[in-house]
Amino acid sequence: TYTTTLIPTASGTAEKPITIRLADEPGRSGQAVFFGGRSTPLPYCDQTNYHYQTNGVLDYGIYLENVSGLVIDGGKWSGIVIHGVNRYGIRLEETTSSITLRYLEIYDNGYASNEGGNWSSGGKGINLRGNAHIFERLLIHDNGQDAIQSNGAGVNNITIRESWLYNSRQHPTVNQSFNWCTHSDALQIHNGGIVEGITIEDSVLGPGFTNTLLLGDTEVDVNNVTLRHVLVLKGADSNISAHSSATPSVNSWTLQNVTVY
């Protein structure tokens, strides 16, 4: 268990990346956990009696800025786990490119806020910025808000494959996920102008989200989207949603072998 933020500072290239990988020798190949320090799970929507643990809690499990050509590899399902931080499990800045995240489990990351005595949660599993990133064999679930969200410019050519993004923690009184009031999505591209290139393949998205895929909002159009061999489950508002501004308009979407339930 590691209780500090992983902050790589060296870069490789897309062809010759630097790899940070779970060891495979006997006695060291179990599981590497990045624990932020918050042992109390995030509050459910409108929870009244909640103690928000902030003292000594990390903001991020992994922070990536000004790096490229990097692979972080758990080596097997949930080989690397990130949980209990008070902002984002992983933060990718606009100055990153060609980052591969593989075999990670990211859950219970985010922050708590109180309004009128009622608590709710926020924060993301992955804060997405940068270009040419690959996310594969990830489990991302039950974070404060979105599993993956881009909230800024500089996001292009993102691939998600062989992954499961979902919420399984139930709200105690509402037939929704614990964070239903925070507009929790599997992948949300929130703003940033024109985004080019989102590929999702061989993956399961949902259940437990508001808009499972929200690719575009009032300040962004997302072009060149490919969904291939994807199962999309039980979005409370919509399963696949896109916004198109007047000029230009969203174009070049391909849905191949997609099941929406």
Side-chain angles (χ1 to χ4, degrees), residues 114-191:
N114 187 310
E115 183 174 350
N118 294 321
W119 289 89
S120 62
S121 62
K124 312 154 193 173
I126 296 177
N127 183 71
L128 174 60
R129 292 185 181 182
N131 297 283
H133 300 324
I134 298 173
F135 304 148
E136 55 188 9
R137 301 187 181 182
L138 303 186
L139 298 173
I140 309 177
H141 62 96
D142 300 299
N143 294 281
Q145 192 178 17
D146 300 333
I148 303 173
Q149 186 197 99
S150 167
N151 188 9
V155 174
N156 292 288
N157 299 319
I158 305 300
T159 299
I160 301 170
R161 65 167 66 108
E162 297 179 356
S163 296
W164 186 15
L165 282 54
Y166 63 99
N167 285 326
S168 63
R169 181 183 162 196
Q170 288 292 113
H171 192 282
T173 61
V174 178
N175 187 25
Q176 298 285 354
S177 62
F178 80 101
N179 58 358
W180 69 273
C181 63
T182 66
H183 200 289
S184 174
D185 305 325
L187 172 62
Q188 181 184 143
I189 306 297
H190 180 60
N191 59 28

Side-chain angles (χ1 to χ4, degrees), residues 205-216:
L205 308 176
F209 294 112
T210 304
N211 296 302
T212 308
L213 285 177
L214 182 54
L215 302 185

Side-chain angles (χ1 to χ4, degrees), residues 76 87 130 137 161 165 174 194 217 236-237 241 251:
K76 58 187 177 183
R87 198 165 180 189
R137 301 187 181 182
R161 65 167 66 108
L165 282 54
V174 178
I194 303 299
D217 209 330
D237 280 356
S241 178
N251 62 76

Side-chain angles (χ1 to χ4, degrees), residues 31-260:
Q31 188 179 71
V33 178
F34 291 87
F35 176 50
R38 177 176 45 74
S39 55
T40 304
L42 291 168
Y44 57 81
C45 289
D46 296 327
Q47 185 170 339
T48 54
N49 55 342
Y50 180 76
H51 172 68
Y52 184 25
Q53 183 182 348
T54 58
N55 191 24
V57 180
L58 303 176
D59 283 339
Y60 314 111
I62 299 176
Y63 182 81
L64 299 171
E65 182 180 26
N66 299 321
V67 290
S68 60
L70 186 68
V71 176
I72 300 177
D73 187 353
K76 58 187 177 183
W77 287 103
S78 302
I80 294 176
V81 175
I82 303 168
H83 74 106
V85 306
N86 269 357
R87 198 165 180 189
Y88 314 138
I90 298 176
R91 179 165 180 166
L92 288 153
E93 293 291 4
E94 188 176 347
T95 53
T96 59
S97 63
S98 300
I99 304 296
T100 296
L101 304 177
R102 181 184 300 130
Y103 283 126
L104 310 182
E105 182 176 3
I106 304 166
Y107 74 94
D108 191 37
N109 301 290
Y111 54 84
S113 57
N114 187 310
E115 183 174 350
N118 294 321
W119 289 89
S120 62
S121 62
K124 312 154 193 173
I126 296 177
N127 183 71
L128 174 60
R129 292 185 181 182
N131 297 283
H133 300 324
I134 298 173
F135 304 148
E136 55 188 9
R137 301 187 181 182
L138 303 186
L139 298 173
I140 309 177
H141 62 96
D142 300 299
N143 294 281
Q145 192 178 17
D146 300 333
I148 303 173
Q149 186 197 99
S150 167
N151 188 9
V155 174
N156 292 288
N157 299 319
I158 305 300
T159 299
I160 301 170
R161 65 167 66 108
E162 297 179 356
S163 296
W164 186 15
L165 282 54
Y166 63 99
N167 285 326
S168 63
R169 181 183 162 196
Q170 288 292 113
H171 192 282
T173 61
V174 178
N175 187 25
Q176 298 285 354
S177 62
F178 80 101
N179 58 358
W180 69 273
C181 63
T182 66
H183 200 289
S184 174
D185 305 325
L187 172 62
Q188 181 184 143
I189 306 297
H190 180 60
N191 59 28
I194 303 299
V195 171
E196 297 283 352
I198 300 290
T199 298
I200 304 174
E201 55 188 3
D202 303 313
S203 294
V204 179
L205 308 176
F209 294 112
T210 304
N211 296 302
T212 308
L213 285 177
L214 182 54
L215 302 185
D217 209 330
T218 56
E219 299 177 2
V220 60
D221 291 338
V222 184
N223 299 326
N224 299 313
V225 173
T226 299
L227 306 180
R228 181 186 301 116
H229 301 141
V230 176
L231 175 60
V232 190
L233 294 170
K234 204 176 180 182
D237 280 356
S238 66
N239 274 312
I240 300 174
S241 178
H243 176 270
S244 179
S245 60
T247 305
S249 61
V250 168
N251 62 76
S252 299
W253 279 51
T254 300
L255 277 67
Q256 176 185 352
N257 299 99
V258 174
T259 298
V260 180

